[in-house]
Amino acid sequence: MIYPQNFEQKIGFDQIRALLAESCLSPLGEERVERMAFASSREEVEEWLDQVEEFVRVTQEEDGFPDQYFFDVRPSLKRARIEGTYLDEQELFDLLRSLTTIRDIVRFLGRGGEEGEEASYPRLRKLADDITVFPALIGRIDSILTPYGKVKDNASPELGRIRRELASAMSGISRSLNSILRQAQAEGYVEKDVAPTMRDGRLVIPVAPGLKRKIKGIVHDESTSGKTVFIEPAEVVEANNRVRELESEERREIIRILIEFANLLRPQIPEILRSYEFLAEIDFIRAKARFALLTDSLKPSIEDAPLLDWTMAVHPLLRMSLAKQGKEVVPLDIELDASQRILIISGPNAGGKSVCLKTVGLLQYMLQCGLLIPVHERSRAGLFGSIFIDIGDEQSIEDDLSTYSSHLTNMKVMLKSCDERSLALIDEFGAGTDPQIGAAIAVAVLRRLNAKRAFGVITTHYQSLKLFADENEGVVNGAMLYDRHLMQALFQLEIGNPGSSFAVEIARKIGLPEEVIADATQMVGSVYINADKYLQDIVRDKRYWEGKRQSIRKQEKQVEETIARYETELQELRDARKEIIAQAKEEAERVLRESNARVENTIRTIKEAQADKEKTRQARQELADFHASLDAMLDGEKEKKIARKMERLKEKQERKQQRKLQAKDEAKTPPSRQTAAPIAAGDTVRIKGQTSVGQVMELSGKSATVLFGSIKTTVRADRLERSTATKGEAPRRTSFVSGETADRIYERKLNFKQDIDVRGMRADEAVQAVTYFIDDAILVGMDRVRILHGTGTGALRAMIRQYLATVPGVERFADEHVQFGGAGITVVDLDR
């Protein structure tokens, strides 16, 4: 049960419906949005939410979902159920495209899910499982219509004959008219630039009114100004009549074809209408998914019990409104369960109490209508059987209802209908009448709601309600926080303590005279004022200790992360030690095999020497030396090797840490301090990205004169880097060129053109040409060059720029100014 009838308007859900309808692609989806309703079944709500969640993944992860043609042809199909009726060409074209869309969606959702394979979108696939896609109908319509929605010439033999005859007749008329027109132009009856035109479906010649009797024929029309009349020459009247007859025959044949198709279509209309219901459902789910993406919504954990355990919940409409102003909404944390079912929210006016209440009502209603909600992924949500709300002014002159009477009417309905699966939302509980009796009635109603074990969110300023929440199980206080020093609302809900109305502070901030405030304080009494002050102090202290608790939690988390990191590194070291020991064992086995082979070789040598004492002694000495070296290696080398590898692992870890620290220092250090010592005369250098090595002859400001072999050139110093050769040492690698080559390079520099045109080339040819062009430009020391590649599809431009991004000597590249070619020309700035 949802109460009252204007519930959706009170919580703002009507605006959600409007936004969903705007996101639909057709009236199919819009009608489905209008039919969207509240549900309390977990299976139904879970299915709706899963469908939306899967479509969000489709939107984010998939390209090419078929959503181009969502046409509603249901009225045409329902009309075509009558014998003798038919769909016109446009309706048939819409039917073809929408049936094709249905077929493509069913295929898209049917991907995966074969035997042994899990379906990508199981909930959406279930929707499409028993949907008919009508391939035969699609093929038949394809044989009738062109890709532009017109009936084809070959739709029937008779239509083909009629159109060929019609084309022939039109061609004959055109030739005759042109002949008559040329003769009339030659005799001066018609102006030279005049051409035949159409009037009432007949070809005519424009003629000046004074010369209309010079051409025999029928006057069909006259221009608005009266300066031109349109004459159908007598020679083509019969031919035009034949054209009109053929056009009528063509229309009759088209209607016959469409009626024939309608007869084929008619038995399948009920099944087609069912497929359009599927299309409407997809349009509806798509709109909900787009709204979820717009509001950063997700599916919380759903439990089949009354429950609210939301973290960072946000009112979606408020977020969108504040986002337009460049502001952010304060998220809401709220928890209602079996132990604390009813939340009494108190706090200052304009502190966010009503917004909190509306947020709870709107998000819960959205969830049970199948919409994802903007909460944190850790949130849990339950399901309610009914939701009641009492908010705003419901006074009515026609129904003889005052504001308070309307509130009491709502209370009566709640008390009658509430149960343990109900959620009651009441704003300013007990207001609108005498405060003393109003508070008493509010407490009495609250006691019965609590006895029925109903859930609720109630806002109030009454102390009696705050005391009731403090003294009764199932009811809990909550406060909207307020900054006493800045005198502004924080819009944060804190559950556990009641809130102060800050009436005195707000009155003082507004500027009410101090004597008025003092008089009011005296009338209320110091006990009440002090109690309110103590309440504010409790809230302040709780905020302080809550901040401390959050800080400790953060530090504990950091400690846990550090311990986990060290445990991981320790495990890595242990694994590395095991690996090193295993390698050492393999090495020992190899040495053992080698020693056995050496022993066998020594024995064989002694036998072959036939007891020659000198050779026997020499072989034994070699064996003894080998055993000594083996013992030494087994005693010390194995442990040293393990120690060295452990040391290398340790150094590797230290280098990692140093690199991290160095990266942080470099980020903080100005670029001028990060550069190496400046290049000086006599240094051995090379141009960055090139291999030729030269020697710096002299420095002049930011430029340096470098000798590469016998070629002396001037380049910018920041384009140079030191070679491995030291200062004063001859370059290790120098290019020596002849005087003839040097002259050729100088001539190239004089004749070098700063533009290259690669239009019309294939991509690989263009990139090769640009490669040579850029190399020459760098060699001759150009500052800027231009590459003319045209716009076209943009593929050639993209490949050229991809190459330029890899050239070290290219400082930047961009489009030419729009007045000089724009995106068709790339301007390249080179390092100097």
Side-chain angles (χ1 to χ4, degrees), residues 531-769:
D532 197 52
K533 184 178 179 182
Y534 295 151
L535 190 60
Q536 296 172 18
D537 291 340
I538 291 171
V539 172
R540 180 200 62 203
D541 293 343
K542 185 174 180 181
R543 285 180 56 199
Y544 172 80
W545 291 114
E546 182 65 24
K548 286 289 186 182
R549 187 164 61 90
Q550 293 292 342
S551 177
I552 292 171
R553 282 184 179 177
K554 186 176 180 181
Q555 292 175 3
E556 287 177 348
K557 186 177 180 181
Q558 291 175 349
V559 170
E560 290 173 358
E561 291 175 352
T562 303
I563 291 172
R565 187 174 69 252
Y566 282 141
E567 286 178 349
T568 302
E569 293 176 357
L570 182 60
Q571 186 60 41
E572 290 176 356
L573 288 173
R574 287 171 179 167
D575 294 342
R577 184 175 182 276
K578 290 179 181 179
E579 183 181 353
I580 292 168
I581 292 173
Q583 292 175 357
K585 287 181 179 179
E586 291 178 3
E587 181 70 15
E589 290 175 358
R590 185 190 64 78
V591 171
L592 184 59
R593 288 193 301 271
E594 185 179 345
S595 64
N596 289 335
R598 186 68 67 89
V599 169
E600 292 173 0
N601 185 47
T602 302
I603 293 171
R604 187 171 58 254
T605 302
I606 292 172
K607 287 181 179 180
E608 289 175 356
Q610 295 180 354
D612 187 332
K613 291 183 178 180
E614 182 59 30
K615 287 188 177 181
T616 300
R617 187 189 64 77
Q618 185 177 355
R620 286 179 174 173
Q621 183 61 41
E622 289 177 359
L623 184 60
D625 293 342
F626 174 74
H627 275 296
S629 64
L630 181 62
D631 291 339
M633 184 179 68
L634 291 175
D635 290 340
E637 290 301 323
K638 183 165 69 175
E639 293 299 329
K640 290 179 181 178
K641 189 173 182 181
I642 293 173
R644 282 197 301 271
K645 290 204 173 184
M646 293 292 289
E647 187 65 29
R648 283 199 295 272
L649 283 171
K650 185 177 179 182
E651 289 174 357
K652 184 178 179 181
Q653 294 292 334
E654 290 177 353
R655 283 197 300 271
K656 275 187 180 178
Q657 295 296 330
Q658 288 176 358
R659 279 198 297 270
K660 289 181 181 178
L661 293 174
Q662 185 177 0
K664 290 181 180 178
D665 292 341
E666 288 177 353
K668 297 178 181 178
T669 306
S672 60
R673 297 184 183 178
Q674 297 177 12
T675 56
I679 292 172
D683 285 349
T684 302
V685 296
R686 61 166 170 253
I687 298 175
K688 295 177 181 178
Q690 300 186 15
T691 57
S692 299
V693 178
Q695 191 171 29
V696 178
M697 304 302 294
E698 62 178 351
L699 291 168
S700 176
K702 295 183 178 180
S703 300
T705 303
V706 184
L707 180 64
F708 292 98
S710 60
I711 297 177
K712 186 185 295 184
T713 184
T714 302
V715 296
R716 283 175 53 179
D718 57 6
R719 288 188 58 204
L720 298 175
E721 63 181 3
R722 282 190 174 82
S723 179
T724 54
T726 57
K727 182 175 178 179
E729 183 183 344
R732 296 181 181 178
R733 183 175 179 180
T734 306
S735 299
F736 295 96
V737 295
S738 64
E740 182 182 354
T741 303
D743 292 341
R744 206 160 42 236
I745 293 173
Y746 181 69
E747 183 179 356
R748 179 179 293 180
K749 184 173 183 178
L750 293 177
N751 297 326
F752 181 79
K753 294 182 179 179
Q754 292 182 267
D755 294 352
I756 184 173
D757 188 350
V758 295
R759 291 177 298 178
M761 296 185 186
R762 294 197 306 271
D764 54 348
E765 294 175 346
V767 171
Q768 186 67 30

Side-chain angles (χ1 to χ4, degrees), residues 760-781:
M761 296 185 186
R762 294 197 306 271
D764 54 348
E765 294 175 346
V767 171
Q768 186 67 30
V770 170
T771 301
Y772 293 144
F773 176 67
I774 294 297
D775 286 347
D776 289 347
I778 292 174
L779 180 64
V780 301

Side-chain angles (χ1 to χ4, degrees), residues 44-114:
E44 194 172 14
V45 173
E46 286 262 24
E47 183 176 8
W48 292 345
L49 296 176
D50 287 342
Q51 289 170 353
V52 180
E53 193 174 42
E54 287 179 3
F55 209 100
V56 168
R57 287 198 289 115
V58 169
T59 305
Q60 292 176 330
E61 301 171 5
E62 301 280 358
D63 290 327
F65 180 80
D67 59 357
Q68 297 90 345
Y69 304 115
F70 279 63
F71 297 112
D72 185 8
V73 296
R74 291 175 300 174
S76 304
L77 291 172
K78 291 174 182 177
R79 187 186 71 244
R81 287 186 292 194
I82 303 172
E83 196 74 29
T85 58
Y86 61 90
L87 275 65
D88 62 28
E89 293 176 67
Q90 185 59 48
E91 291 171 336
L92 191 60
F93 191 41
D94 290 344
L95 176 65
L96 169 65
R97 290 183 289 176
S98 53
L99 284 179
T100 303
T101 297
I102 292 172
R103 179 199 65 192
D104 294 343
I105 291 174
V106 170
R107 287 179 180 174
F108 182 94
L109 298 178
R111 295 180 306 174
E114 284 78 14

Side-chain angles (χ1 to χ4, degrees), residues 26 55 58 76 96 113 118 181 206 208 212 237 249 314 341 360 369 383 450 473 486 499 516 614 748 768:
S26 71
F55 209 100
V58 169
S76 304
L96 169 65
E118 185 179 352
L181 182 62
K212 64 183 178 181
V237 170
E249 291 179 18
V314 171
R341 290 172 284 98
V360 171
C369 285
L383 301 177
N450 189 32
E473 291 185 3
L486 298 177
V516 174
E614 182 59 30
R748 179 179 293 180
Q768 186 67 30

